[in-house]
């Protein structure tokens, strides 16, 4: 089968593409290689994909509909939209680019799916939609009308467009709300990567609050990729959480990384950012029921893999900005 994967040089897109090709499929990957975070790690992921058979790359921005149109001259069994502007705090500084990519970009892809009769569409969404007032663990039926950041609001808009195109044109849509994805070659603006670099290089480790007041439902990237691929089957219109169902207190994350690296962290405590969600915790019953999916990699196993990858590539990874 042939799949279009947007954001193929992104963290999740890289692993989904790799798994699809390992499964015998062809992937057309697109990515604009933007500088939302250091491009070095994106180029490294892309270099791994370009070694694989049945991978074909186009450097294209999903906001540019005219450039997208020729790519849709081919027939796709599904479009997997993993291209996004992600990150809560950056969205407060520049909300416009989040609306452009996450809303307009999604609309461009949905319209082209309709025009070319692509029957399946997968959207990457976020646990940030659950905001501050929903009970834990977060269920897909929870109210998502109170986003705390432009990033969350832009993903709410993308989800709404997906529902419209499903209703109007019967496009089969699966929306995944991801919970704090981590692992080797992860995003350098995310806590797991930052903590590994900061502790490895003896830099101060920034902690918002006292480190005990916030927790994250960390989900290993390979578990996420397996879930995305499981969601390619017909599901009508479904919103599905992909998380570990085992939140980790931030300070415990730091302690584990200290243990694995063999260095103590120098903590620098900072006040909470108002756009941050203090705690995330996924109810994953729907993923289990619809997809037969459960996370397979423990937090210790996943952090160990991240630390080992960092140490293997330390000569260039140590210089990646993690601000």
């Amino acid at each position: 089968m042939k799949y279009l994967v947007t954001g193929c040089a992104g963290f999740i897109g890289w692993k989904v593409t790799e798994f699809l090709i390992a499964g015998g499929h062809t992937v057309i990957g697109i990515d604009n290689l933007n500088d939302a975070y250091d491009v070095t790690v994106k180029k490294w992921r892309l270099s791994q994909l370009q070694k694989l058979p049945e991978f074909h790359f186009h450097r294209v921005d999903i906001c540019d509909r005219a450039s997208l149109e020729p790519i849709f001259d081919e027939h796709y069994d599904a479009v997997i939209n993993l291209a996004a502007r992600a990150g809560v705090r950056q969205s407060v500084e520049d909300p416009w680019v989040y609306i452009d990519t996450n809303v307009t970009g999604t609309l461009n892809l949905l319209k082209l799916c309709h025009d070319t009769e692509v029957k399946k569409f997968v959207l990457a969404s976020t646990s940030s939609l659950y905001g501050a007032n929903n009970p834990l663990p977060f269920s897909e039926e929870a109210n998502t009308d109170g986003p705390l950041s432009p990033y969350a609001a832009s993903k709410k808009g993308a989800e709404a467009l997906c529902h419209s195109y499903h209703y109007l044109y019967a496009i089969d849509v699966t929306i995944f709300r991801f919970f704090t994805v981590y692992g080797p070659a992860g995003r350098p603006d995310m806590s797991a990567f930052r903590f590994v670099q900061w502790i490895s290089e003896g830099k101060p480790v920034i902690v918002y609050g006292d480190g005990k007041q916030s927790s994250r439902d960390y989900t290993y990237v390979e578990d996420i990729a397996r879930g995305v691929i499981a969601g390619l089957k017909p599901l009508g219109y479904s919103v599905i959480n992909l998380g570990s169902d085992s939140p980790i207190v931030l300070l415990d994350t730091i302690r584990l990384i200290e243990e694995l690296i063999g260095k103590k962290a120098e903590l620098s405590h900072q006040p909470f950012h108002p756009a941050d969600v203090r705690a995330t915790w996924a109810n994953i019953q729907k993923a289990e029921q619809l997809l037969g999916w459960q996370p397979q990699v423990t937090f210790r196993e996943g952090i160990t893999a991240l630390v080992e990858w960092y140490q293997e590539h330390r000569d260039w990874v140590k210089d990646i900005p993690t601000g």
Side-chain angles (χ1 to χ4, degrees):
M1 302 181 86
K2 183 180 289 186
Y3 297 103
L4 179 67
V5 177
T6 74
C8 66
F11 186 28
I12 298 170
W14 160 58
K15 193 56 64 173
V16 168
T17 298
E18 186 180 85
F19 279 16
L20 285 170
I21 292 170
H25 305 293
T26 297
V27 174
I28 309 301
I30 66 174
D31 202 297
N32 68 350
L33 298 175
N34 66 59
D35 61 355
Y37 58 83
D38 193 280
V39 178
T40 308
V41 70
K42 296 182 182 183
K43 290 182 177 178
W44 182 87
R45 298 185 198 120
L46 183 60
S47 72
Q48 306 309 297
L49 294 177
Q50 289 175 324
K51 299 173 185 177
L52 302 176
E54 302 305 320
F55 174 71
H56 309 278
F57 177 67
H58 299 275
R59 186 167 182 172
V60 171
D61 190 329
I62 63 169
C63 298
D64 183 353
R65 189 177 169 203
S67 296
L68 281 175
E69 286 177 346
I71 296 170
F72 277 79
D73 288 343
E74 300 189 55
H75 171 75
Y76 301 107
D77 293 283
V79 170
I80 305 170
N81 183 24
L82 302 173
R85 283 288 180 145
V88 166
R89 294 174 194 154
Q90 285 177 303
S91 76
V92 176
E93 302 301 321
D94 184 6
W96 294 274
V97 72
Y98 283 73
I99 299 302
D100 289 344
T101 302
N102 298 346
V103 180
T104 304
T106 298
L107 175 59
N108 289 340
L109 292 166
L110 285 165
K111 180 64 167 65
L112 287 165
C113 284
H114 168 58
D115 291 346
T116 60
E117 300 185 344
V118 177
K119 300 300 184 186
K120 180 74 188 189
F121 188 84
V122 174
L123 175 73
S125 191
T126 175
S127 61
S128 295
L129 274 175
Y130 292 115
N133 299 315
N134 282 304
L136 296 167
F138 295 140
S139 164
E140 293 89 347
E141 286 69 45
N143 188 311
T144 57
D145 291 338
L148 303 184
S149 65
Y151 167 53
S154 70
K155 283 298 188 181
K156 175 79 172 178
E159 288 193 8
L161 283 167
C162 284
H163 187 274
S164 297
Y165 271 74
H166 166 72
Y167 173 78
L168 290 170
Y169 307 116
I171 297 175
D172 192 290
V173 174
T174 305
I175 295 169
F176 286 110
R177 292 178 182 160
F178 299 139
F179 284 70
T180 312
V181 187
Y182 76 103
R187 280 173 43 200
D189 58 328
M190 295 288 281
S191 60
F193 188 109
R194 297 167 98 188
F195 292 162
V196 170
Q197 188 200 64
W198 292 343
I199 294 171
S200 295
E201 308 310 327
K203 298 177 181 179
V205 175
I206 299 171
V207 176
Y208 296 96
D210 65 4
K212 300 176 183 177
Q213 298 167 292
S214 61
S215 60
R216 288 290 178 269
D217 192 322
Y218 287 95
T219 322
Y220 192 62
V221 64
E222 292 190 2
D223 284 331
I224 290 286
R226 288 190 304 102
V228 169
I229 292 168
L232 289 170
K233 69 180 184 179
L235 291 168
Y237 176 86
S238 294
V239 178
I240 302 172
N241 289 336
L242 291 184
S244 71
D245 191 25
S246 299
I248 307 293
V249 174
L250 186 142
L251 203 56
D252 291 341
T253 303
I254 294 170
R255 297 302 177 227
L256 174 59
I257 295 170
E258 287 178 326
E259 175 194 333
L260 294 171
I261 292 174
K263 280 187 176 181
K264 291 293 290 182
E266 177 192 338
L267 302 185
S268 173
H269 292 276
Q270 305 290 332
F272 280 111
H273 192 289
D276 282 341
V277 177
R278 296 287 181 94
T280 63
W281 179 3
N283 180 325
I284 58 173
Q285 291 179 355
K286 194 170 181 181
E288 294 171 355
Q289 292 165 358
L290 292 182
L291 308 178
W293 179 91
Q294 287 186 326
Q296 295 180 358
V297 179
T298 68
F299 186 60
R300 173 176 280 273
E301 290 170 340
I303 291 293
T304 299
L306 169 56
V307 169
E308 289 175 348
W309 178 85
Y310 183 91
Q311 291 171 340
E312 180 183 353
H313 300 281
R314 187 176 177 185
D315 59 327
W316 59 272
V317 178
K318 64 182 174 60
D319 297 319
I320 289 179
T322 51

